[in-house]
Amino acid sequence: MTNVYSPTRLALVALVLVVFLLPPVWLLLSALKPQAEIFQWPPTLWPANPTLENFVNTISRAKFLLFFKNSAIVSVLSAFLSVTISVMAGYALAKFRFKGDTIFFLLIMSSLMVPLQIIMIPVFLVLRDLGLLETLAGVIIAPAATPTGVFLMRQYIVNIPDSLLEAARLDKTPEWRILWRIVVPLSLPAIGTLLAFNLVWRWNDYLWPFLIITDQDQWTVQLAIANSIGRFGIDWPKLLSMSVLSVLPVLVVFTALQRLMMGGIMAGATKE
């Protein structure tokens, strides 16, 4: 029997843990250093005189709260829109038989092979014609429907027993109520996973906001971080502090949705 607590295995786990934790820890501790100490040689991990001045300056002088609000609006609305579309499309493709349903599903999946750069200009032109340039709505709507989300929800919903749905239909339950009261609760693990990834993707998205937004009042956090790098120099304290603050919502999202996913697993245990 293999000893899971063998010294070799524990040493390997510790090494992997250090490799993964060192960059974020270095980022956090560097953000607590004055600018002179950031460039000190030899470099030090722990700041000699920790200070929150970098964070105070970032929040008070760099419109960070405005950028944070814009990113939060884009991430939350786009993620919920994407999950809603994926759940409805996945339910239709998994539980309804219609002419050409397999071809339709394959067409959606084939879009995974299309590089983003190919559709970038057509989508930009559509947003321009709709008057959605220079607006957060353009950033929210453009990436809302994803083939990855449709595939994930379709593959999960197809495993829900048809007997549960047929029993509800015999009671003349509307399809929207079947979707909301039966399919969604049983699909919470997949929905939680998809929601978490969409929130992180949209929060970290730089390309679409960069393409369609030039007004500084509409910037997201990622645009603000990128623009903190000047032509003649880099404001390292500002860049490091903004990077640390931009990571915090991601940690909160995964911590919160981890409980949601566990609750969904218990709800999904009632499946036959």
Side-chain angles (χ1 to χ4, degrees), residues 123-212:
V123 174
F124 179 87
L125 295 177
V126 170
L127 293 177
R128 183 199 63 184
D129 294 339
L130 293 175
L132 295 178
L133 299 182
E134 298 291 347
T135 64
L136 294 180
V139 184
I140 294 170
I141 294 174
T146 62
T148 304
V150 174
F151 175 76
L152 175 64
M153 295 311 307
R154 189 261 182 190
Q155 295 304 108
Y156 195 90
I157 294 174
V158 76
N159 294 316
I160 296 178
D162 292 335
S163 58
L164 295 176
L165 310 183
E166 292 301 329
R169 291 182 181 125
L170 288 176
D171 291 336
K172 298 182 179 180
T173 305
E175 287 296 332
W176 69 267
R177 189 179 293 273
I178 293 175
L179 175 63
W180 178 251
R181 292 295 181 88
I182 298 177
V183 175
V184 169
L186 294 179
S187 304
L188 279 180
I191 292 174
T193 301
L194 183 60
L195 181 62
F197 280 110
N198 271 280
L199 285 170
V200 174
W201 289 337
R202 299 289 79 82
W203 180 270
N204 291 329
D205 191 14
Y206 169 77
L207 184 58
W208 276 119
F210 173 75
L211 288 176
I212 69 175

Coordinates of all heavy atoms in Angstrom, one line a residue, residues 123-212:
V123 N -17.5 41.4 -36.3 CA -18.2 41.8 -35.1 C -18.1 43.2 -34.8 O -19.0 43.9 -34.3 CB -17.7 40.9 -33.9 CG1 -18.3 41.4 -32.6 CG2 -18.0 39.4 -34.1
F124 N -16.9 43.8 -35.0 CA -16.7 45.2 -34.8 C -17.6 46.1 -35.7 O -18.2 47.0 -35.2 CB -15.2 45.6 -35.1 CG -14.9 47.0 -34.9 CD1 -14.5 47.5 -33.7 CD2 -15.0 47.9 -36.0 CE1 -14.2 48.9 -33.5 CE2 -14.7 49.3 -35.9 CZ -14.3 49.7 -34.6
L125 N -17.8 45.6 -36.9 CA -18.6 46.4 -37.9 C -20.1 46.3 -37.4 O -20.9 47.2 -37.6 CB -18.5 45.8 -39.3 CG -17.1 46.0 -39.9 CD1 -17.0 45.4 -41.3 CD2 -16.7 47.5 -40.0
V126 N -20.5 45.1 -36.9 CA -21.9 44.9 -36.5 C -22.1 45.9 -35.3 O -23.2 46.5 -35.2 CB -22.1 43.5 -36.1 CG1 -23.5 43.3 -35.4 CG2 -22.2 42.6 -37.3
L127 N -21.2 45.9 -34.3 CA -21.3 46.8 -33.2 C -21.3 48.2 -33.6 O -22.1 49.1 -33.0 CB -20.1 46.5 -32.2 CG -20.1 45.2 -31.5 CD1 -18.9 45.1 -30.6 CD2 -21.3 44.9 -30.7
R128 N -20.6 48.6 -34.6 CA -20.6 50.0 -35.1 C -21.9 50.3 -35.7 O -22.5 51.4 -35.4 CB -19.5 50.1 -36.2 CG -19.4 51.6 -36.7 CD -18.7 51.6 -38.0 NE -19.4 50.8 -39.1 CZ -18.9 50.6 -40.3 NH1 -17.7 51.1 -40.6 NH2 -19.7 49.9 -41.2
D129 N -22.5 49.4 -36.5 CA -23.8 49.7 -37.1 C -24.9 49.7 -36.1 O -25.9 50.4 -36.3 CB -24.1 48.6 -38.1 CG -23.2 48.6 -39.3 OD1 -22.5 49.7 -39.5 OD2 -23.0 47.6 -40.0
L130 N -24.8 49.0 -35.0 CA -25.8 49.1 -33.9 C -25.5 50.2 -32.9 O -26.3 50.4 -32.0 CB -25.7 47.7 -33.1 CG -26.2 46.5 -33.9 CD1 -26.0 45.2 -33.0 CD2 -27.6 46.6 -34.3
G131 N -24.5 51.0 -33.2 CA -24.2 52.1 -32.3 C -23.7 51.7 -30.9 O -24.0 52.5 -29.9
L132 N -23.0 50.6 -30.8 CA -22.6 50.1 -29.5 C -21.1 50.3 -29.3 O -20.6 49.8 -28.3 CB -22.9 48.6 -29.4 CG -24.4 48.2 -29.4 CD1 -24.5 46.7 -29.3 CD2 -25.1 48.9 -28.2
L133 N -20.4 51.0 -30.2 CA -19.0 51.4 -29.9 C -19.0 52.5 -28.8 O -19.9 53.3 -28.7 CB -18.3 51.9 -31.2 CG -18.2 50.9 -32.3 CD1 -17.5 51.6 -33.5 CD2 -17.6 49.6 -31.9
E134 N -17.9 52.5 -28.1 CA -17.7 53.4 -27.0 C -18.8 53.2 -25.8 O -19.1 54.2 -25.1 CB -17.8 54.9 -27.5 CG -16.7 55.2 -28.5 CD -15.3 55.3 -27.8 OE1 -15.2 55.3 -26.6 OE2 -14.4 55.3 -28.6
T135 N -19.3 52.0 -25.7 CA -20.3 51.7 -24.7 C -19.9 50.4 -24.0 O -19.3 49.5 -24.7 CB -21.7 51.6 -25.2 OG1 -21.8 50.5 -26.1 CG2 -22.1 52.9 -26.0
L136 N -20.3 50.3 -22.8 CA -20.1 49.0 -22.1 C -21.0 47.9 -22.6 O -20.7 46.7 -22.5 CB -20.3 49.2 -20.6 CG -19.4 50.1 -19.8 CD1 -19.7 50.2 -18.4 CD2 -17.9 49.6 -20.0
A137 N -22.1 48.3 -23.2 CA -23.1 47.3 -23.8 C -22.4 46.5 -24.9 O -22.6 45.3 -25.1 CB -24.3 48.0 -24.3
G138 N -21.5 47.2 -25.7 CA -20.8 46.5 -26.7 C -19.8 45.5 -26.2 O -19.7 44.4 -26.8
V139 N -19.2 45.8 -25.1 CA -18.3 44.8 -24.4 C -19.1 43.7 -23.8 O -18.6 42.5 -23.8 CB -17.4 45.5 -23.4 CG1 -16.4 44.6 -22.8 CG2 -16.7 46.7 -23.9
I140 N -20.3 43.9 -23.4 CA -21.1 42.9 -22.7 C -21.7 41.9 -23.7 O -21.6 40.7 -23.6 CB -22.2 43.5 -21.9 CG1 -21.6 44.3 -20.7 CG2 -23.2 42.5 -21.4 CD1 -22.6 45.1 -20.0
I141 N -22.2 42.4 -24.8 CA -23.0 41.6 -25.8 C -22.1 40.8 -26.7 O -22.4 39.6 -27.0 CB -23.9 42.5 -26.6 CG1 -25.0 43.2 -25.7 CG2 -24.6 41.8 -27.7 CD1 -25.8 44.2 -26.4
A142 N -21.0 41.4 -27.1 CA -20.1 40.7 -28.2 C -19.7 39.3 -27.8 O -19.9 38.4 -28.6 CB -18.9 41.6 -28.5
P143 N -19.2 39.0 -26.6 CA -18.8 37.7 -26.2 C -19.8 36.9 -25.5 O -19.4 35.9 -24.8 CB -17.5 37.9 -25.4 CG -17.9 39.2 -24.6 CD -18.8 40.0 -25.5
A144 N -21.1 37.3 -25.5 CA -22.1 36.7 -24.6 C -22.3 35.2 -24.9 O -22.4 34.3 -24.1 CB -23.4 37.5 -24.7
A145 N -22.5 34.9 -26.2 CA -22.8 33.5 -26.6 C -21.5 32.8 -27.0 O -20.8 33.2 -28.0 CB -23.8 33.5 -27.8
T146 N -21.2 31.7 -26.3 CA -20.0 31.0 -26.6 C -20.3 29.5 -26.9 O -21.1 28.9 -26.2 CB -19.0 31.1 -25.4 OG1 -19.6 30.5 -24.3 CG2 -18.7 32.5 -25.1
P147 N -19.6 28.9 -27.9 CA -19.9 27.5 -28.1 C -19.4 26.6 -27.0 O -19.9 25.6 -26.8 CB -19.1 27.3 -29.4 CG -18.1 28.4 -29.5 CD -18.7 29.6 -28.8
T148 N -18.4 27.1 -26.3 CA -17.9 26.3 -25.1 C -19.0 26.2 -24.1 O -19.2 25.1 -23.5 CB -16.7 27.0 -24.5 OG1 -15.7 27.1 -25.5 CG2 -16.1 26.1 -23.4
G149 N -19.7 27.3 -23.8 CA -20.8 27.2 -22.8 C -21.9 26.3 -23.3 O -22.5 25.5 -22.5
V150 N -22.3 26.4 -24.5 CA -23.4 25.6 -25.1 C -23.0 24.1 -25.0 O -23.8 23.3 -24.6 CB -23.7 26.0 -26.5 CG1 -24.7 25.0 -27.2 CG2 -24.2 27.4 -26.6
F151 N -21.8 23.8 -25.4 CA -21.3 22.4 -25.3 C -21.3 21.9 -23.9 O -21.8 20.8 -23.6 CB -19.9 22.3 -25.9 CG -19.3 21.0 -25.8 CD1 -19.7 19.9 -26.6 CD2 -18.3 20.7 -24.9 CE1 -19.1 18.7 -26.5 CE2 -17.7 19.4 -24.7 CZ -18.2 18.4 -25.6
L152 N -20.8 22.6 -22.9 CA -20.8 22.2 -21.6 C -22.2 21.9 -21.0 O -22.4 20.9 -20.4 CB -20.1 23.3 -20.7 CG -20.1 23.0 -19.2 CD1 -19.3 21.7 -18.9 CD2 -19.5 24.2 -18.4
M153 N -23.1 22.8 -21.3 CA -24.5 22.7 -20.7 C -25.2 21.5 -21.5 O -25.9 20.8 -20.8 CB -25.3 24.0 -20.9 CG -24.7 25.1 -20.0 SD -24.4 24.7 -18.3 CE -26.0 24.0 -17.8
R154 N -25.0 21.4 -22.7 CA -25.7 20.3 -23.5 C -25.2 19.0 -23.0 O -26.0 18.1 -22.8 CB -25.4 20.5 -25.0 CG -26.2 19.6 -25.9 CD -25.4 18.4 -26.3 NE -26.1 17.5 -27.2 CZ -25.7 16.3 -27.6 NH1 -24.6 15.8 -27.1 NH2 -26.5 15.6 -28.4
Q155 N -23.9 18.8 -22.8 CA -23.4 17.5 -22.4 C -23.8 17.2 -20.9 O -23.9 16.0 -20.6 CB -21.8 17.5 -22.4 CG -21.3 17.7 -23.9 CD -21.8 16.6 -24.8 OE1 -22.6 16.8 -25.6 NE2 -21.3 15.4 -24.5
Y156 N -24.1 18.2 -20.1 CA -24.5 17.9 -18.7 C -26.0 17.6 -18.7 O -26.5 16.7 -18.1 CB -24.2 19.1 -17.8 CG -24.3 18.8 -16.4 CD1 -23.2 18.3 -15.7 CD2 -25.5 18.9 -15.7 CE1 -23.3 17.9 -14.3 CE2 -25.6 18.6 -14.3 CZ -24.5 18.1 -13.7 OH -24.7 17.7 -12.3
I157 N -26.8 18.4 -19.4 CA -28.2 18.3 -19.4 C -28.7 17.0 -20.0 O -29.7 16.4 -19.7 CB -28.9 19.5 -20.1 CG1 -28.6 20.8 -19.2 CG2 -30.4 19.3 -20.2 CD1 -29.1 22.1 -19.9
V158 N -27.9 16.5 -21.0 CA -28.3 15.3 -21.7 C -28.4 14.1 -20.7 O -29.1 13.1 -21.0 CB -27.4 15.0 -22.9 CG1 -26.0 14.4 -22.4 CG2 -28.0 14.1 -23.9
N159 N -27.7 14.2 -19.6 CA -27.6 13.1 -18.6 C -28.8 13.2 -17.6 O -28.9 12.3 -16.8 CB -26.3 13.1 -17.9 CG -25.1 12.8 -18.8 OD1 -25.2 11.8 -19.6 ND2 -24.0 13.5 -18.6
I160 N -29.6 14.2 -17.7 CA -30.7 14.3 -16.8 C -31.8 13.4 -17.3 O -32.1 13.4 -18.5 CB -31.3 15.8 -16.7 CG1 -30.3 16.7 -16.1 CG2 -32.6 15.8 -16.0 CD1 -30.7 18.1 -16.1
P161 N -32.4 12.5 -16.5 CA -33.3 11.5 -16.9 C -34.5 12.1 -17.6 O -35.1 13.1 -17.1 CB -33.7 10.7 -15.7 CG -32.6 11.0 -14.7 CD -32.1 12.3 -15.0
D162 N -34.9 11.6 -18.8 CA -36.1 12.1 -19.5 C -37.4 11.9 -18.7 O -38.4 12.6 -18.9 CB -36.2 11.5 -20.9 CG -35.1 11.9 -21.8 OD1 -34.5 13.0 -21.6 OD2 -34.7 11.1 -22.7
S163 N -37.4 10.9 -17.8 CA -38.6 10.5 -17.0 C -39.0 11.7 -16.2 O -40.2 11.9 -16.0 CB -38.3 9.3 -16.2 OG -37.2 9.5 -15.3
L164 N -38.0 12.4 -15.6 CA -38.4 13.6 -14.8 C -39.1 14.7 -15.6 O -40.1 15.3 -15.2 CB -37.1 14.2 -14.2 CG -36.4 13.3 -13.2 CD1 -35.1 14.0 -12.7 CD2 -37.3 13.0 -12.0
L165 N -38.6 14.9 -16.8 CA -39.2 15.9 -17.7 C -40.6 15.4 -18.2 O -41.5 16.2 -18.3 CB -38.3 16.2 -18.9 CG -36.9 16.5 -18.5 CD1 -36.1 16.9 -19.8 CD2 -36.8 17.7 -17.5
E166 N -40.7 14.2 -18.5 CA -42.0 13.7 -19.1 C -43.1 13.7 -18.0 O -44.2 14.0 -18.2 CB -41.8 12.2 -19.6 CG -40.9 12.1 -20.8 CD -41.5 12.9 -22.0 OE1 -42.8 13.0 -22.1 OE2 -40.7 13.4 -22.8
A167 N -42.7 13.4 -16.7 CA -43.6 13.5 -15.6 C -44.2 14.9 -15.5 O -45.4 15.1 -15.2 CB -43.0 13.0 -14.3
A168 N -43.3 15.9 -15.6 CA -43.7 17.3 -15.5 C -44.6 17.6 -16.7 O -45.6 18.4 -16.5 CB -42.5 18.2 -15.4
R169 N -44.3 17.1 -17.9 CA -45.1 17.5 -19.0 C -46.5 16.8 -18.9 O -47.5 17.4 -19.4 CB -44.4 17.0 -20.3 CG -43.2 17.8 -20.6 CD -42.5 17.4 -21.9 NE -41.3 18.2 -22.2 CZ -40.1 17.6 -22.4 NH1 -39.9 16.3 -22.4 NH2 -39.1 18.4 -22.6
L170 N -46.6 15.6 -18.3 CA -47.9 15.0 -18.1 C -48.8 15.9 -17.2 O -50.0 15.8 -17.3 CB -47.7 13.6 -17.5 CG -47.2 12.5 -18.5 CD1 -46.9 11.2 -17.7 CD2 -48.1 12.3 -19.7
D171 N -48.2 16.6 -16.3 CA -48.9 17.5 -15.4 C -49.1 18.9 -16.1 O -49.6 19.8 -15.5 CB -48.1 17.8 -14.1 CG -48.1 16.5 -13.3 OD1 -49.0 15.7 -13.4 OD2 -47.2 16.4 -12.4
K172 N -48.8 18.9 -17.4 CA -49.1 20.2 -18.2 C -48.2 21.3 -17.7 O -48.7 22.5 -17.7 CB -50.5 20.5 -18.3 CG -51.4 19.5 -18.9 CD -52.9 19.9 -19.0 CE -53.7 18.8 -19.7 NZ -55.1 19.2 -19.8
T173 N -47.0 21.0 -17.3 CA -46.1 22.1 -16.8 C -45.5 22.7 -18.0 O -45.0 22.1 -18.9 CB -45.0 21.5 -15.9 OG1 -45.6 20.8 -14.8 CG2 -44.1 22.6 -15.4
P174 N -45.5 24.1 -18.1 CA -44.8 24.8 -19.2 C -43.4 24.4 -19.3 O -42.7 24.2 -18.3 CB -45.1 26.2 -18.9 CG -46.2 26.3 -18.0 CD -46.1 25.0 -17.2
E175 N -42.8 24.5 -20.5 CA -41.4 24.2 -20.7 C -40.5 25.1 -19.9 O -39.5 24.7 -19.4 CB -41.0 24.2 -22.2 CG -41.6 23.1 -23.0 CD -41.0 21.7 -22.6 OE1 -39.9 21.7 -22.1 OE2 -41.7 20.7 -22.8
W176 N -40.9 26.4 -19.9 CA -40.0 27.4 -19.1 C -39.9 27.0 -17.7 O -38.9 27.2 -17.0 CB -40.5 28.8 -19.3 CG -41.8 29.1 -18.7 CD1 -43.0 29.1 -19.2 CD2 -42.0 29.6 -17.3 NE1 -44.0 29.4 -18.3 CE2 -43.4 29.8 -17.1 CE3 -41.1 29.8 -16.2 CZ2 -43.9 30.2 -15.9 CZ3 -41.6 30.2 -15.0 CH2 -43.0 30.4 -14.9
R177 N -41.1 26.5 -17.1 CA -41.1 26.1 -15.7 C -40.3 24.8 -15.5 O -39.6 24.6 -14.5 CB -42.5 25.9 -15.2 CG -42.6 25.7 -13.7 CD -44.1 25.6 -13.3 NE -44.8 26.8 -13.5 CZ -44.8 27.8 -12.6 NH1 -44.2 27.7 -11.4 NH2 -45.5 28.9 -12.8
I178 N -40.3 23.9 -16.5 CA -39.5 22.7 -16.4 C -38.0 23.0 -16.4 O -37.2 22.5 -15.6 CB -39.8 21.7 -17.6 CG1 -41.3 21.2 -17.5 CG2 -38.8 20.6 -17.6 CD1 -41.7 20.4 -18.6
L179 N -37.7 24.0 -17.3 CA -36.3 24.4 -17.3 C -35.9 25.0 -16.0 O -34.8 24.7 -15.5 CB -36.1 25.4 -18.5 CG -34.8 26.1 -18.6 CD1 -33.7 25.0 -18.9 CD2 -34.8 27.1 -19.7
W180 N -36.7 25.9 -15.4 CA -36.3 26.7 -14.3 C -36.4 25.8 -13.0 O -35.5 25.9 -12.1 CB -37.3 27.9 -14.1 CG -37.0 28.7 -12.9 CD1 -37.8 28.8 -11.8 CD2 -35.9 29.5 -12.6 NE1 -37.3 29.6 -10.9 CE2 -36.1 30.1 -11.3 CE3 -34.7 29.8 -13.3 CZ2 -35.1 30.9 -10.8 CZ3 -33.8 30.6 -12.7 CH2 -34.0 31.2 -11.5
R181 N -37.4 24.9 -12.9 CA -37.6 24.2 -11.6 C -36.9 22.8 -11.6 O -36.7 22.3 -10.5 CB -39.1 24.0 -11.4 CG -39.9 25.3 -11.1 CD -39.5 25.8 -9.8 NE -40.2 27.1 -9.5 CZ -41.4 27.1 -8.9 NH1 -42.0 25.9 -8.5 NH2 -42.0 28.2 -8.6
I182 N -36.6 22.2 -12.8 CA -36.0 20.9 -12.8 C -34.6 20.9 -13.4 O -33.7 20.5 -12.7 CB -36.9 19.9 -13.6 CG1 -38.3 19.8 -13.0 CG2 -36.2 18.6 -13.7 CD1 -39.3 18.9 -13.7
V183 N -34.5 21.4 -14.6 CA -33.2 21.4 -15.3 C -32.1 22.2 -14.6 O -31.0 21.8 -14.3 CB -33.4 21.8 -16.7 CG1 -32.0 21.8 -17.4 CG2 -34.3 20.8 -17.5
V184 N -32.5 23.5 -14.2 CA -31.5 24.4 -13.6 C -31.0 23.8 -12.3 O -29.8 23.8 -12.1 CB -32.1 25.8 -13.5 CG1 -31.2 26.7 -12.7 CG2 -32.2 26.4 -14.9
P185 N -31.9 23.4 -11.3 CA -31.4 22.9 -10.1 C -30.5 21.7 -10.2 O -29.5 21.6 -9.5 CB -32.6 22.6 -9.3 CG -33.7 23.5 -9.8 CD -33.4 23.6 -11.3
L186 N -30.8 20.8 -11.2 CA -30.0 19.6 -11.4 C -28.7 19.9 -12.1 O -27.8 19.1 -12.2 CB -30.8 18.6 -12.1 CG -32.0 18.0 -11.4 CD1 -32.7 16.9 -12.3 CD2 -31.6 17.3 -10.1
S187 N -28.6 21.1 -12.7 CA -27.4 21.5 -13.5 C -26.6 22.5 -12.8 O -25.7 23.1 -13.4 CB -27.9 22.0 -14.9 OG -28.7 21.1 -15.6
L188 N -26.8 22.7 -11.5 CA -26.0 23.7 -10.8 C -24.5 23.5 -10.8 O -23.8 24.5 -10.9 CB -26.5 23.8 -9.4 CG -27.8 24.6 -9.2 CD1 -28.2 24.6 -7.7 CD2 -27.6 26.1 -9.7
P189 N -24.0 22.3 -10.8 CA -22.5 22.2 -10.9 C -22.0 22.7 -12.2 O -21.0 23.4 -12.2 CB -22.3 20.6 -10.7 CG -23.5 20.1 -10.0 CD -24.7 21.0 -10.4
A190 N -22.6 22.4 -13.3 CA -22.2 22.9 -14.6 C -22.4 24.4 -14.7 O -21.5 25.1 -15.2 CB -22.9 22.2 -15.7
I191 N -23.5 24.9 -14.2 CA -23.8 26.3 -14.2 C -22.8 27.1 -13.4 O -22.3 28.1 -13.8 CB -25.3 26.6 -13.8 CG1 -26.3 26.0 -14.8 CG2 -25.5 28.1 -13.6 CD1 -27.7 26.1 -14.3
G192 N -22.5 26.6 -12.2 CA -21.6 27.3 -11.3 C -20.2 27.3 -11.9 O -19.5 28.3 -11.9
T193 N -19.8 26.2 -12.6 CA -18.5 26.2 -13.2 C -18.4 27.2 -14.4 O -17.5 27.9 -14.5 CB -18.2 24.8 -13.7 OG1 -18.2 23.8 -12.6 CG2 -16.8 24.7 -14.4
L194 N -19.5 27.1 -15.2 CA -19.5 28.0 -16.4 C -19.6 29.5 -15.9 O -18.9 30.4 -16.5 CB -20.7 27.7 -17.2 CG -20.9 28.5 -18.5 CD1 -19.7 28.3 -19.4 CD2 -22.2 28.1 -19.2
L195 N -20.3 29.8 -14.9 CA -20.5 31.1 -14.4 C -19.1 31.6 -13.8 O -18.7 32.8 -14.1 CB -21.5 31.2 -13.3 CG -21.8 32.6 -12.6 CD1 -22.3 33.6 -13.7 CD2 -22.7 32.5 -11.5
A196 N -18.4 30.8 -13.1 CA -17.1 31.2 -12.6 C -16.1 31.5 -13.7 O -15.4 32.5 -13.7 CB -16.5 30.1 -11.7
F197 N -16.0 30.6 -14.7 CA -15.1 30.8 -15.8 C -15.5 32.1 -16.6 O -14.6 32.8 -17.0 CB -15.0 29.6 -16.7 CG -14.2 28.5 -16.2 CD1 -14.7 27.3 -15.7 CD2 -12.8 28.7 -16.1 CE1 -13.9 26.3 -15.2 CE2 -12.0 27.7 -15.6 CZ -12.5 26.5 -15.2
N198 N -16.8 32.3 -16.8 CA -17.2 33.5 -17.6 C -16.9 34.8 -16.8 O -16.5 35.8 -17.4 CB -18.7 33.4 -17.9 CG -19.0 32.7 -19.2 OD1 -18.8 33.3 -20.3 ND2 -19.3 31.5 -19.1
L199 N -17.1 34.8 -15.5 CA -16.8 36.0 -14.7 C -15.3 36.3 -14.8 O -14.9 37.4 -15.0 CB -17.2 35.7 -13.3 CG -18.7 35.8 -13.0 CD1 -18.9 35.3 -11.5 CD2 -19.2 37.2 -13.1
V200 N -14.4 35.2 -14.7 CA -13.0 35.5 -14.8 C -12.6 35.9 -16.2 O -11.8 36.8 -16.4 CB -12.2 34.2 -14.3 CG1 -10.7 34.4 -14.5 CG2 -12.5 33.9 -12.9
W201 N -13.1 35.2 -17.2 CA -12.8 35.6 -18.6 C -13.2 37.1 -18.9 O -12.4 37.8 -19.5 CB -13.5 34.7 -19.6 CG -13.0 33.3 -19.6 CD1 -11.7 32.9 -19.2 CD2 -13.7 32.1 -20.0 NE1 -11.7 31.5 -19.3 CE2 -12.8 31.0 -19.8 CE3 -15.0 31.9 -20.5 CZ2 -13.2 29.7 -20.1 CZ3 -15.4 30.6 -20.8 CH2 -14.5 29.5 -20.6
R202 N -14.4 37.4 -18.5 CA -14.8 38.8 -18.8 C -14.0 39.8 -17.9 O -13.8 40.9 -18.4 CB -16.3 38.9 -18.6 CG -17.2 38.0 -19.4 CD -17.2 38.5 -20.9 NE -16.0 38.1 -21.6 CZ -15.8 36.8 -22.1 NH1 -16.8 35.9 -22.0 NH2 -14.8 36.5 -22.8
W203 N -13.7 39.5 -16.7 CA -12.9 40.4 -15.9 C -11.5 40.6 -16.4 O -11.0 41.7 -16.4 CB -12.9 39.8 -14.4 CG -12.1 40.7 -13.5 CD1 -10.8 40.7 -13.2 CD2 -12.7 41.8 -12.7 NE1 -10.5 41.7 -12.3 CE2 -11.6 42.4 -12.0 CE3 -13.9 42.3 -12.6 CZ2 -11.8 43.5 -11.2 CZ3 -14.1 43.4 -11.7 CH2 -13.0 44.0 -11.0
N204 N -10.9 39.6 -16.9 CA -9.6 39.7 -17.5 C -9.5 40.0 -18.9 O -8.4 40.2 -19.5 CB -8.8 38.3 -17.3 CG -8.6 38.0 -15.8 OD1 -8.4 38.9 -15.0 ND2 -8.5 36.8 -15.5
D205 N -10.7 40.2 -19.6 CA -10.7 40.5 -21.0 C -10.1 41.9 -21.3 O -10.4 42.9 -20.7 CB -12.1 40.5 -21.5 CG -12.2 40.5 -23.0 OD1 -11.1 40.3 -23.7 OD2 -13.2 40.7 -23.6
Y206 N -9.1 41.9 -22.2 CA -8.5 43.2 -22.6 C -8.8 43.5 -24.0 O -8.9 44.7 -24.4 CB -7.0 43.0 -22.4 CG -6.2 44.2 -23.0 CD1 -6.1 45.4 -22.4 CD2 -5.5 44.0 -24.2 CE1 -5.4 46.5 -23.0 CE2 -4.8 45.0 -24.8 CZ -4.7 46.3 -24.2 OH -4.0 47.3 -24.7
L207 N -8.9 42.5 -24.9 CA -8.9 42.8 -26.3 C -10.2 43.5 -26.8 O -10.1 44.5 -27.5 CB -8.8 41.4 -27.1 CG -8.8 41.6 -28.6 CD1 -7.6 42.4 -29.1 CD2 -8.7 40.2 -29.3
W208 N -11.4 43.0 -26.4 CA -12.6 43.7 -26.8 C -12.7 45.1 -26.3 O -13.1 46.0 -27.0 CB -13.8 42.8 -26.4 CG -14.1 41.7 -27.4 CD1 -14.1 40.4 -27.2 CD2 -14.4 41.9 -28.8 NE1 -14.4 39.7 -28.4 CE2 -14.6 40.6 -29.4 CE3 -14.6 43.0 -29.7 CZ2 -15.0 40.4 -30.7 CZ3 -14.9 42.8 -31.0 CH2 -15.1 41.5 -31.5
P209 N -12.5 45.3 -25.0 CA -12.6 46.7 -24.5 C -11.6 47.6 -25.2 O -11.8 48.8 -25.5 CB -12.2 46.6 -23.0 CG -12.7 45.2 -22.6 CD -12.4 44.4 -23.8
F210 N -10.4 47.1 -25.5 CA -9.4 47.9 -26.2 C -9.8 48.2 -27.6 O -9.5 49.3 -28.1 CB -8.1 47.1 -26.3 CG -7.0 47.7 -27.1 CD1 -6.3 48.8 -26.6 CD2 -6.7 47.2 -28.3 CE1 -5.3 49.4 -27.4 CE2 -5.7 47.8 -29.1 CZ -5.0 48.9 -28.6
L211 N -10.6 47.3 -28.3 CA -11.0 47.6 -29.6 C -12.1 48.6 -29.8 O -12.1 49.4 -30.7 CB -11.4 46.3 -30.3 CG -10.3 45.3 -30.7 CD1 -10.9 44.0 -31.2 CD2 -9.4 45.9 -31.7
I212 N -13.0 48.6 -28.8 CA -14.2 49.4 -29.0 C -14.4 50.6 -28.1 O -15.3 51.3 -28.2 CB -15.5 48.5 -28.9 CG1 -15.7 48.0 -27.5 CG2 -15.4 47.3 -29.9 CD1 -17.0 47.3 -27.4

